[in-house]
Amino acid sequence: MKKIITCLFISCTSVAMAQDSLFNDSATDQVEKKPVRIFNALKAINAKTTEVVGKGKMEFNVTHNFGDIGGKFGGIKNFFGLDNAVDVRIGFEIGIGKKLDIILARAKGASSQSKLFETGIKYQILRQLESDPSHPIALTAFVNAVVATNTSATTENVDNSYDDFSDRLSSTMQLIIAKKIGKVSLQLNPTLVTRGHSISYDDKTIFAMGGAIRVPVFPNFNLVVDYFHPFRSQESKDSFAAQAVPIKFYDPLGIGIEIVTPGHVFHLNFTNANEILENRFIPRTTNSWSKGQFRWGFTIARSFVLWRPKQKS
Protein backbone atom coordinates (compact mmCIF):
# COMPACT_ATOMS: atom_id res chain seq x y z
CA MET A 1 0.00 0.00 0.00
CA LYS A 2 2.81 2.38 0.93
CA LYS A 3 4.63 1.72 -2.35
CA ILE A 4 1.47 2.23 -4.40
CA ILE A 5 0.64 5.56 -2.77
CA THR A 6 4.25 6.74 -3.04
CA CYS A 7 4.28 5.92 -6.77
CA LEU A 8 0.99 7.75 -7.27
CA PHE A 9 2.38 10.75 -5.37
CA ILE A 10 5.51 10.88 -7.55
CA SER A 11 3.53 10.31 -10.77
CA CYS A 12 0.99 13.04 -10.02
CA THR A 13 3.77 15.46 -9.11
CA SER A 14 5.74 14.70 -12.29
CA VAL A 15 2.71 15.05 -14.57
CA ALA A 16 1.63 18.28 -12.92
CA MET A 17 5.15 19.75 -13.15
CA ALA A 18 5.29 18.85 -16.84
CA GLN A 19 1.87 20.41 -17.38
CA ASP A 20 2.93 23.58 -15.58
CA SER A 21 6.11 23.77 -17.67
CA LEU A 22 4.09 23.36 -20.88
CA PHE A 23 1.75 26.16 -19.95
CA ASN A 24 4.64 28.41 -18.98
CA ASP A 25 6.48 27.75 -22.24
CA SER A 26 3.41 28.42 -24.38
CA ALA A 27 2.75 31.68 -22.58
CA THR A 28 6.29 33.07 -22.68
CA ASP A 29 5.33 35.98 -24.91
CA GLN A 30 2.12 36.74 -23.05
CA VAL A 31 1.50 38.80 -19.97
CA GLU A 32 1.56 36.57 -16.90
CA LYS A 33 -1.92 36.12 -15.51
CA LYS A 34 -2.59 36.91 -11.88
CA PRO A 35 -2.67 33.89 -9.52
CA VAL A 36 -5.63 33.48 -7.18
CA ARG A 37 -4.91 33.84 -3.47
CA ILE A 38 -6.94 30.87 -2.21
CA PHE A 39 -5.92 31.03 1.46
CA ASN A 40 -4.41 33.89 3.43
CA ALA A 41 -2.01 31.70 5.40
CA LEU A 42 0.34 28.75 4.97
CA LYS A 43 -1.94 26.71 7.27
CA ALA A 44 -5.68 26.52 7.79
CA ILE A 45 -5.74 25.15 11.36
CA ASN A 46 -4.07 21.74 11.40
CA ALA A 47 -3.77 21.45 7.60
CA LYS A 48 -1.17 23.00 5.33
CA THR A 49 -2.55 25.10 2.46
CA THR A 50 -1.35 25.41 -1.14
CA GLU A 51 0.15 28.85 -0.47
CA VAL A 52 3.92 29.44 -0.48
CA VAL A 53 5.96 32.34 0.86
CA GLY A 54 7.49 33.59 -2.38
CA LYS A 55 11.09 33.97 -3.48
CA GLY A 56 13.27 36.00 -1.15
CA LYS A 57 10.73 36.05 1.67
CA MET A 58 10.59 34.31 5.03
CA GLU A 59 7.63 33.67 7.29
CA PHE A 60 8.18 33.27 11.01
CA ASN A 61 5.23 31.52 12.64
CA VAL A 62 4.34 30.39 16.14
CA THR A 63 1.59 27.84 16.79
CA HIS A 64 0.42 27.18 20.35
CA ASN A 65 -2.05 24.54 21.58
CA PHE A 66 -3.34 24.72 25.15
CA GLY A 67 -4.92 21.98 27.26
CA ASP A 68 -8.46 20.60 27.18
CA ILE A 69 -11.22 23.16 27.65
CA GLY A 70 -13.54 20.58 29.24
CA GLY A 71 -13.48 16.97 30.34
CA LYS A 72 -11.32 15.38 33.03
CA PHE A 73 -8.32 17.65 32.47
CA GLY A 74 -10.19 20.86 31.66
CA GLY A 75 -12.68 23.07 33.43
CA ILE A 76 -12.10 25.92 35.84
CA LYS A 77 -9.48 23.98 37.87
CA ASN A 78 -7.10 24.25 34.89
CA PHE A 79 -8.58 27.56 33.72
CA PHE A 80 -10.21 25.79 30.77
CA GLY A 81 -6.88 24.51 29.49
CA LEU A 82 -4.98 27.79 29.59
CA ASP A 83 -2.80 26.56 32.47
CA ASN A 84 -1.27 23.92 30.19
CA ALA A 85 0.74 24.26 26.99
CA VAL A 86 0.36 20.83 25.39
CA ASP A 87 2.31 21.66 22.24
CA VAL A 88 4.20 24.60 20.77
CA ARG A 89 5.80 24.90 17.34
CA ILE A 90 8.17 27.66 16.26
CA GLY A 91 8.96 27.59 12.56
CA PHE A 92 10.58 29.37 9.65
CA GLU A 93 9.45 28.97 6.04
CA ILE A 94 11.84 30.46 3.49
CA GLY A 95 11.06 31.00 -0.18
CA ILE A 96 14.19 29.96 -2.07
CA GLY A 97 12.30 30.01 -5.36
CA LYS A 98 9.11 31.51 -6.73
CA LYS A 99 7.25 28.29 -5.97
CA LEU A 100 9.63 26.48 -3.61
CA ASP A 101 9.85 26.86 0.18
CA ILE A 102 12.09 25.16 2.72
CA ILE A 103 10.82 24.62 6.27
CA LEU A 104 12.77 24.55 9.52
CA ALA A 105 10.91 24.15 12.81
CA ARG A 106 11.02 22.94 16.38
CA ALA A 107 7.98 21.49 18.17
CA LYS A 108 7.60 20.63 21.82
CA GLY A 109 5.47 17.54 21.22
CA ALA A 110 2.61 16.39 23.41
CA SER A 111 3.26 12.70 23.99
CA SER A 112 6.05 10.17 24.38
CA GLN A 113 7.75 11.36 21.19
CA SER A 114 8.80 14.93 21.89
CA LYS A 115 11.49 17.58 21.38
CA LEU A 116 10.87 17.38 17.65
CA PHE A 117 12.93 18.95 14.88
CA GLU A 118 11.24 19.33 11.50
CA THR A 119 12.73 19.97 8.06
CA GLY A 120 10.62 20.07 4.95
CA ILE A 121 9.98 21.37 1.44
CA LYS A 122 6.84 22.74 -0.12
CA TYR A 123 6.55 23.10 -3.89
CA GLN A 124 3.65 24.81 -5.64
CA ILE A 125 3.18 22.73 -8.78
CA LEU A 126 0.14 24.56 -10.19
CA ARG A 127 -1.57 27.83 -9.37
CA GLN A 128 -5.18 28.75 -9.96
CA LEU A 129 -5.20 31.73 -12.33
CA GLU A 130 -7.88 34.36 -12.70
CA SER A 131 -10.11 33.92 -15.78
CA ASP A 132 -8.00 31.03 -17.07
CA PRO A 133 -9.81 27.68 -17.44
CA SER A 134 -6.51 25.90 -18.14
CA HIS A 135 -5.44 26.56 -14.52
CA PRO A 136 -8.64 25.86 -12.52
CA ILE A 137 -6.94 24.58 -9.36
CA ALA A 138 -3.83 25.00 -7.23
CA LEU A 139 -1.67 21.97 -6.50
CA THR A 140 1.17 21.87 -3.97
CA ALA A 141 3.42 19.04 -2.77
CA PHE A 142 4.65 18.97 0.82
CA VAL A 143 7.21 16.57 2.28
CA ASN A 144 8.82 16.69 5.70
CA ALA A 145 11.18 14.71 7.92
CA VAL A 146 10.92 14.87 11.71
CA VAL A 147 13.33 13.58 14.33
CA ALA A 148 12.36 13.09 18.00
CA THR A 149 15.26 13.95 20.31
CA ASN A 150 13.75 13.04 23.69
CA THR A 151 15.24 10.30 25.86
CA SER A 152 14.58 6.70 24.90
CA ALA A 153 12.24 4.79 27.22
CA THR A 154 13.61 2.05 29.49
CA THR A 155 10.53 -0.09 28.78
CA GLU A 156 9.74 -1.85 25.52
CA ASN A 157 6.87 -1.38 23.09
CA VAL A 158 6.07 2.27 23.70
CA ASP A 159 6.29 5.15 21.25
CA ASN A 160 9.76 6.21 22.41
CA SER A 161 11.39 2.76 22.65
CA TYR A 162 14.22 3.85 20.36
CA ASP A 163 16.80 1.21 19.43
CA ASP A 164 18.63 3.34 16.87
CA PHE A 165 18.40 6.72 15.14
CA SER A 166 15.98 5.51 12.45
CA ASP A 167 13.40 4.78 15.17
CA ARG A 168 13.31 8.49 15.95
CA LEU A 169 12.40 9.46 12.39
CA SER A 170 9.02 10.03 10.79
CA SER A 171 7.90 11.67 7.55
CA THR A 172 4.82 13.11 5.88
CA MET A 173 4.05 13.24 2.17
CA GLN A 174 1.10 15.34 1.08
CA LEU A 175 -0.54 16.55 -2.12
CA ILE A 176 -2.60 19.67 -1.44
CA ILE A 177 -5.36 20.46 -3.95
CA ALA A 178 -7.26 23.73 -3.61
CA LYS A 179 -9.72 25.91 -5.48
CA LYS A 180 -11.42 29.22 -4.79
CA ILE A 181 -15.04 29.37 -5.92
CA GLY A 182 -16.34 32.89 -5.59
CA LYS A 183 -15.21 33.93 -2.11
CA VAL A 184 -15.12 30.41 -0.67
CA SER A 185 -11.86 28.43 -0.56
CA LEU A 186 -11.95 24.61 -0.71
CA GLN A 187 -9.10 22.14 -0.27
CA LEU A 188 -8.21 18.43 -0.14
CA ASN A 189 -5.11 17.05 1.64
CA PRO A 190 -4.40 13.38 0.81
CA THR A 191 -1.61 12.50 3.26
CA LEU A 192 0.76 9.63 3.96
CA VAL A 193 2.55 9.41 7.32
CA THR A 194 5.34 6.89 7.89
CA ARG A 195 7.16 6.25 11.15
CA GLY A 196 10.48 4.56 11.80
CA HIS A 197 9.13 3.06 15.03
CA SER A 198 5.66 2.35 16.32
CA ILE A 199 4.10 0.16 18.97
CA SER A 200 4.03 -3.46 17.76
CA TYR A 201 0.24 -3.52 17.23
CA ASP A 202 0.08 -0.08 15.60
CA ASP A 203 0.35 0.83 11.90
CA LYS A 204 3.75 2.19 10.90
CA THR A 205 2.27 3.76 7.78
CA ILE A 206 -1.09 5.56 7.81
CA PHE A 207 -2.93 7.17 4.92
CA ALA A 208 -5.31 10.01 5.75
CA MET A 209 -7.66 12.18 3.72
CA GLY A 210 -7.90 15.75 4.89
CA GLY A 211 -9.75 18.82 3.79
CA ALA A 212 -10.27 22.49 4.60
CA ILE A 213 -12.71 25.29 3.88
CA ARG A 214 -12.45 29.04 4.39
CA VAL A 215 -15.60 31.19 4.33
CA PRO A 216 -15.48 35.00 4.66
CA VAL A 217 -17.74 36.43 7.36
CA PHE A 218 -16.70 40.10 7.46
CA PRO A 219 -13.89 41.99 5.71
CA ASN A 220 -10.57 40.55 6.99
CA PHE A 221 -12.51 38.11 9.21
CA ASN A 222 -12.96 34.51 8.04
CA LEU A 223 -14.27 31.18 9.34
CA VAL A 224 -11.85 28.29 8.76
CA VAL A 225 -12.54 24.56 9.25
CA ASP A 226 -10.29 21.59 8.55
CA TYR A 227 -10.61 17.84 9.10
CA PHE A 228 -8.60 14.62 8.68
CA HIS A 229 -9.77 11.03 8.54
CA PRO A 230 -6.91 8.55 9.12
CA PHE A 231 -7.47 5.11 7.57
CA ARG A 232 -6.13 3.07 10.48
CA SER A 233 -6.40 -0.72 10.21
CA GLN A 234 -9.16 -2.46 12.16
CA GLU A 235 -6.56 -4.76 13.69
CA SER A 236 -4.75 -1.75 15.17
CA LYS A 237 -8.00 -0.25 16.51
CA ASP A 238 -8.97 -3.55 18.14
CA SER A 239 -5.52 -3.99 19.71
CA PHE A 240 -5.56 -0.53 21.29
CA ALA A 241 -9.12 -1.07 22.55
CA ALA A 242 -8.08 -4.38 24.18
CA GLN A 243 -5.33 -2.84 26.33
CA ALA A 244 -5.61 -2.56 30.13
CA VAL A 245 -6.23 1.15 29.58
CA PRO A 246 -8.25 1.18 26.32
CA ILE A 247 -7.33 3.80 23.73
CA LYS A 248 -9.72 5.07 21.08
CA PHE A 249 -8.68 7.30 18.21
CA TYR A 250 -10.68 10.22 16.83
CA ASP A 251 -10.54 12.21 13.61
CA PRO A 252 -8.76 15.58 14.02
CA LEU A 253 -11.22 18.44 13.54
CA GLY A 254 -10.31 22.11 13.73
CA ILE A 255 -12.59 25.15 13.75
CA GLY A 256 -11.11 28.62 13.79
CA ILE A 257 -11.40 32.33 13.18
CA GLU A 258 -8.90 34.05 10.90
CA ILE A 259 -8.12 37.74 11.32
CA VAL A 260 -6.06 39.45 8.63
CA THR A 261 -4.16 42.61 9.51
CA PRO A 262 -1.37 44.48 7.65
CA GLY A 263 1.70 42.24 7.96
CA HIS A 264 0.02 39.61 10.17
CA VAL A 265 -2.43 36.74 9.89
CA PHE A 266 -3.84 35.74 13.28
CA HIS A 267 -5.72 32.46 13.83
CA LEU A 268 -7.83 31.68 16.88
CA ASN A 269 -8.27 27.90 16.72
CA PHE A 270 -10.24 25.17 18.47
CA THR A 271 -9.22 21.57 17.80
CA ASN A 272 -9.28 18.14 19.41
CA ALA A 273 -5.73 17.49 18.17
CA ASN A 274 -3.14 17.87 20.92
CA GLU A 275 -0.13 17.88 18.63
CA ILE A 276 0.73 20.27 15.82
CA LEU A 277 2.85 18.25 13.38
CA GLU A 278 1.08 15.99 10.85
CA ASN A 279 3.53 13.23 11.82
CA ARG A 280 1.93 13.15 15.27
CA PHE A 281 -1.68 14.38 15.19
CA ILE A 282 -2.74 12.12 12.29
CA PRO A 283 -1.78 8.82 14.01
CA ARG A 284 -2.19 10.03 17.60
CA THR A 285 -5.40 12.03 18.18
CA THR A 286 -7.18 10.41 21.14
CA ASN A 287 -9.37 13.36 22.17
CA SER A 288 -13.08 13.75 21.50
CA TRP A 289 -14.99 16.96 20.90
CA SER A 290 -18.09 15.40 22.48
CA LYS A 291 -16.19 14.90 25.76
CA GLY A 292 -14.96 18.48 25.90
CA GLN A 293 -11.45 17.36 24.94
CA PHE A 294 -10.78 20.19 22.55
CA ARG A 295 -8.47 23.09 23.09
CA TRP A 296 -7.90 26.70 22.29
CA GLY A 297 -4.86 27.43 20.17
CA PHE A 298 -3.48 30.17 18.04
CA THR A 299 -1.10 30.79 15.17
CA ILE A 300 0.70 34.09 14.62
CA ALA A 301 2.62 34.60 11.39
CA ARG A 302 4.89 37.44 10.32
CA SER A 303 6.56 37.76 6.90
CA PHE A 304 9.95 39.33 6.21
CA VAL A 305 11.87 40.16 3.03
CA LEU A 306 15.30 38.51 3.10
CA TRP A 307 16.35 39.57 -0.40
CA ARG A 308 14.69 41.05 -3.44
CA PRO A 309 14.77 38.94 -6.64
CA LYS A 310 16.58 40.56 -9.55
CA GLN A 311 14.26 42.24 -12.00
CA LYS A 312 14.32 40.88 -15.55
CA SER A 313 15.73 43.39 -18.01
Side-chain angles (χ1 to χ4, degrees), residues 47-300:
K48 295 280 193 303
T49 69
T50 52
E51 305 300 332
V52 292
V53 176
K55 187 175 182 179
K57 298 178 182 179
M58 178 187 75
E59 181 179 286
F60 170 69
N61 50 66
V62 178
T63 303
H64 196 302
N65 282 353
F66 291 97
D68 292 351
I69 288 178
K72 181 179 178 181
F73 300 104
I76 189 62
K77 62 182 180 295
N78 289 316
F79 201 53
F80 303 101
L82 295 181
D83 286 344
N84 300 319
V86 294
D87 201 3
V88 180
R89 178 186 180 275
I90 298 174
F92 299 87
E93 189 154 338
I94 303 168
I96 61 173
K98 187 176 180 181
K99 301 179 182 180
L100 179 64
D101 291 353
I102 60 171
I103 298 167
L104 302 170
R106 160 77 176 202
K108 171 181 174 288
S111 60
S112 53
Q113 287 192 2
S114 60
K115 299 181 179 179
L116 305 163
F117 286 96
E118 178 188 23
T119 60
I121 59 172
K122 193 176 182 185
Y123 180 72
Q124 192 176 60
I125 303 164
L126 294 174
R127 293 179 296 177
Q128 182 180 351
L129 300 180
E130 292 183 357
S131 303
D132 188 346
S134 67
H135 287 73
I137 63 169
L139 179 65
T140 297
F142 163 69
V143 179
N144 80 357
V146 172
V147 57
T149 62
N150 61 315
T151 304
S152 178
T154 56
T155 56
E156 296 183 353
N157 210 31
V158 293
D159 264 352
N160 61 326
S161 299
Y162 310 128
D163 290 330
D164 51 43
F165 181 74
S166 64
D167 289 343
R168 298 176 176 272
L169 299 176
S170 63
S171 64
T172 296
M173 292 191 298
Q174 193 171 81
L175 277 177
I176 312 169
I177 308 154
K179 182 176 180 63
K180 192 170 186 180
I181 304 173
K183 295 183 178 180
V184 177
S185 301
L186 301 171
Q187 183 172 281
L188 288 176
N189 296 65
T191 306
L192 187 72
V193 175
T194 62
R195 295 173 287 168
H197 166 74
S198 65
I199 297 172
S200 61
Y201 45 85
D202 197 3
D203 299 325
K204 271 195 173 185
T205 300
I206 295 179
F207 175 73
M209 179 57 75
I213 182 171
R214 182 185 70 90
V215 180
V217 180
F218 302 109
N220 299 320
F221 186 93
N222 306 304
L223 174 67
V224 183
V225 178
D226 66 18
Y227 170 81
F228 282 86
H229 176 71
F231 291 88
R232 184 183 297 273
S233 69
Q234 190 60 47
E235 181 182 358
S236 173
K237 295 178 185 178
D238 294 342
S239 296
F240 276 104
Q243 299 304 304
V245 179
I247 295 176
K248 184 177 180 180
F249 296 99
Y250 296 89
D251 293 351
L253 169 65
I255 302 172
I257 296 168
E258 178 185 75
I259 303 170
V260 182
T261 64
H264 293 80
V265 178
F266 181 77
H267 281 190
L268 177 62
N269 304 327
F270 297 90
T271 177
N272 62 322
N274 270 347
E275 307 205 48
I276 295 168
L277 299 181
E278 291 88 350
N279 310 51
R280 298 301 302 161
F281 76 74
I282 286 177
R284 275 288 177 270
T285 294
T286 58
N287 300 315
S288 169
W289 273 81
S290 64
K291 298 177 182 178
Q293 297 168 336
F294 60 94
R295 70 217 66 266
W296 176 53
F298 63 82
T299 299
I300 299 177

